[in-house]
Amino acid sequence: MIVKPVVRGFICTTAHPTGCIKLVDDQIDFVQQRSPLPGPRNALVIGASTGYGMASRIVSAFGAGAGTVGVFFERPSNSKRTASTGWYCAHAFDERARRAGLATHSVNGDAFSDEIKAETIEAIRSEVGNVDLVVYSLASPRRRHPRSGELFQSTLKPIGQTYRSKAADLNTDQVVEAEIEPATEDEIRQTVAVMGGEDWKMWIEALQRAGVLASRATTVAYSYIGPELTRPIYRDGTIGQAKRHLEATVKEIGELLAPSSGRALISVNKAVVTQSSAAIPAVPLYISILFDVMKEKGLHERCIEQCYRLFAEHLYSGGPVRPDAKGRLRLDDLEMRPDVQAEVAARWERVTTENLHELADVSGYKIDFLKLFGFELDGIDYEADVEIDPE
Ligand code: NAD
């Protein structure tokens, strides 16, 4: 098939198989061009096929030489339709890791379920014995609770008041006014159930019960705070409530791990273009301005730079971790630098449809978005017929 991007709203329904392999290769190259890292012996990455999870798996394996088990929920191809980008990326990772002599195993299924937890535990036992790092990097719109069976949907809404904000319509390149009604109590509850900390804790309990968590293990989950501009929709909205819950769960998990000298941490990462962030109202416009400012200041980072820095400067620096007052590692330090935020806020104030391309790197955002699906990458022949079902 000759595969072209088919974009619907904030998702692309196709993925380019060769492009996805290149996405993985480029991140492996990034890591291999830097010094080898101290790191885990074996890592479990939950949400390992795209975004921050894939970068964490690549840094663990190709930076620190770790065996990895990755869990994700991705769609395989059929004769008419490409697989999802994460499916191709995860397969490319497995192939590259095997070729490099690194233990690797991937589990494709619903990480919230007891069945996938059990399958993953079996894979850890048989492939690597135990894990000393657990990265929790899920971003999901829904979760079926493994005990009650209730299906929770997460929503991206403000709490208490209607949200009105500038936003970019990336189909028409216009600055528009977004308006979102506040969430109900039940929507808040459901979002916390999907993206809060309950499932992270269930994973750690299950791994501990099964005896596949090494002593002195580290677990880290990813969070986001962001600027004042997106505060009503992000940090003070439904997703922010879920992130607060996730961040509070770190204490309970830390207590579970204390007897085996393990540690639980939250890493607050910077805003990047991923499938998840594209879905958050106003965030694509914010990221387009932010990236322009950060590139101008020589501060630009993607998932792979962030994860490399997380390992090198925080998790495995050899010294004590340096958390903020609330106990969180702050990988968003450059994004939140006062000079960066002041420039973003000034541009945000001024941005209109007329000056959008001057004040925001909208073209760069769109290219980064298509790259997530294996398009717009150098060195790929997008007119070539490719096998969409390589298995
Ligand atoms: P992403 O959409 O790129 O990746 C999500 C991963 O979760 C994929 O591997 C997907 O397969 C997996 N997944 C989703 N539902 C699943 C399920 N039911 N079972 C198993 N796997 C499932 O997302 P991302 O942006 O990398 O986000 C990962 C984490 O990083 C999230 O907690 C997010 O809040 C956080 N974070 C993101 C940003 C950002 O700007 N994107 C910034 C800071 C923190």
Side-chain angles (χ1 to χ4, degrees), residues 12 31 111 162 175 192 254 294 305 307:
C12 178
V31 171
T162 303
V175 175
V192 171
M294 291 187 80
E305 285 91 351
C307 291

PDB file of all heavy atoms in Angstrom, residues 12 31 111 162 175 192 254 294 305 307:
ATOM      1  N   CYS A  12      -4.561  10.969  13.626  1.00  0.00           N
ATOM      2  CA  CYS A  12      -4.262  10.534  12.267  1.00  0.00           C
ATOM      3  C   CYS A  12      -4.579   9.039  12.267  1.00  0.00           C
ATOM      4  O   CYS A  12      -4.091   8.289  13.119  1.00  0.00           O
ATOM      5  CB  CYS A  12      -2.788  10.796  11.969  1.00  0.00           C
ATOM      6  SG  CYS A  12      -2.285  10.243  10.347  1.00  0.00           S
ATOM      7  N   VAL A  31      20.292   8.391  21.631  1.00  0.00           N
ATOM      8  CA  VAL A  31      20.811   7.858  22.894  1.00  0.00           C
ATOM      9  C   VAL A  31      22.224   7.307  22.694  1.00  0.00           C
ATOM     10  O   VAL A  31      23.116   7.525  23.528  1.00  0.00           O
ATOM     11  CB  VAL A  31      19.856   6.750  23.419  1.00  0.00           C
ATOM     12  CG1 VAL A  31      20.458   6.010  24.591  1.00  0.00           C
ATOM     13  CG2 VAL A  31      18.520   7.368  23.830  1.00  0.00           C
ATOM     14  N   ALA A 111      -3.825  -2.458  29.886  1.00  0.00           N
ATOM     15  CA  ALA A 111      -3.001  -2.447  31.109  1.00  0.00           C
ATOM     16  C   ALA A 111      -3.832  -2.323  32.381  1.00  0.00           C
ATOM     17  O   ALA A 111      -3.357  -2.650  33.470  1.00  0.00           O
ATOM     18  CB  ALA A 111      -2.008  -1.292  31.038  1.00  0.00           C
ATOM     19  N   THR A 162     -17.132  28.000  33.079  1.00  0.00           N
ATOM     20  CA  THR A 162     -16.914  27.794  31.641  1.00  0.00           C
ATOM     21  C   THR A 162     -15.512  28.283  31.278  1.00  0.00           C
ATOM     22  O   THR A 162     -15.060  29.304  31.785  1.00  0.00           O
ATOM     23  CB  THR A 162     -17.969  28.594  30.842  1.00  0.00           C
ATOM     24  OG1 THR A 162     -19.249  28.145  31.278  1.00  0.00           O
ATOM     25  CG2 THR A 162     -17.827  28.367  29.335  1.00  0.00           C
ATOM     26  N   VAL A 175      -6.967  31.511  14.460  1.00  0.00           N
ATOM     27  CA  VAL A 175      -7.081  31.588  15.918  1.00  0.00           C
ATOM     28  C   VAL A 175      -8.565  31.732  16.219  1.00  0.00           C
ATOM     29  O   VAL A 175      -9.236  32.627  15.696  1.00  0.00           O
ATOM     30  CB  VAL A 175      -6.279  32.783  16.475  1.00  0.00           C
ATOM     31  CG1 VAL A 175      -6.498  32.917  17.983  1.00  0.00           C
ATOM     32  CG2 VAL A 175      -4.791  32.589  16.175  1.00  0.00           C
ATOM     33  N   VAL A 192     -10.606  11.057  37.201  1.00  0.00           N
ATOM     34  CA  VAL A 192      -9.638  10.649  38.236  1.00  0.00           C
ATOM     35  C   VAL A 192      -9.474   9.119  38.220  1.00  0.00           C
ATOM     36  O   VAL A 192      -8.370   8.599  38.370  1.00  0.00           O
ATOM     37  CB  VAL A 192     -10.096  11.151  39.632  1.00  0.00           C
ATOM     38  CG1 VAL A 192      -9.239  10.553  40.745  1.00  0.00           C
ATOM     39  CG2 VAL A 192     -10.044  12.679  39.685  1.00  0.00           C
ATOM     40  N   GLY A 254       5.228   4.717  47.862  1.00  0.00           N
ATOM     41  CA  GLY A 254       6.506   4.822  48.582  1.00  0.00           C
ATOM     42  C   GLY A 254       6.476   3.974  49.848  1.00  0.00           C
ATOM     43  O   GLY A 254       7.464   3.292  50.168  1.00  0.00           O
ATOM     44  N   MET A 294      11.220  28.356  22.780  1.00  0.00           N
ATOM     45  CA  MET A 294      12.287  27.495  23.305  1.00  0.00           C
ATOM     46  C   MET A 294      13.357  27.215  22.238  1.00  0.00           C
ATOM     47  O   MET A 294      14.537  27.136  22.550  1.00  0.00           O
ATOM     48  CB  MET A 294      11.716  26.196  23.892  1.00  0.00           C
ATOM     49  CG  MET A 294      10.919  26.460  25.176  1.00  0.00           C
ATOM     50  SD  MET A 294      10.362  24.983  26.053  1.00  0.00           S
ATOM     51  CE  MET A 294      11.831  24.487  26.944  1.00  0.00           C
ATOM     52  N   GLU A 305      14.956  13.625  24.700  1.00  0.00           N
ATOM     53  CA  GLU A 305      15.883  14.462  25.479  1.00  0.00           C
ATOM     54  C   GLU A 305      15.443  14.500  26.941  1.00  0.00           C
ATOM     55  O   GLU A 305      16.256  14.447  27.867  1.00  0.00           O
ATOM     56  CB  GLU A 305      15.927  15.899  24.940  1.00  0.00           C
ATOM     57  CG  GLU A 305      16.703  16.084  23.657  1.00  0.00           C
ATOM     58  CD  GLU A 305      15.844  15.947  22.412  1.00  0.00           C
ATOM     59  OE1 GLU A 305      14.670  15.540  22.529  1.00  0.00           O
ATOM     60  OE2 GLU A 305      16.358  16.229  21.298  1.00  0.00           O
ATOM     61  N   CYS A 307      13.684  12.257  28.627  1.00  0.00           N
ATOM     62  CA  CYS A 307      13.887  10.988  29.339  1.00  0.00           C
ATOM     63  C   CYS A 307      15.368  10.735  29.595  1.00  0.00           C
ATOM     64  O   CYS A 307      15.745  10.226  30.653  1.00  0.00           O
ATOM     65  CB  CYS A 307      13.248   9.830  28.569  1.00  0.00           C
ATOM     66  SG  CYS A 307      11.461   9.942  28.610  1.00  0.00           S
TER      67      CYS A 307
END
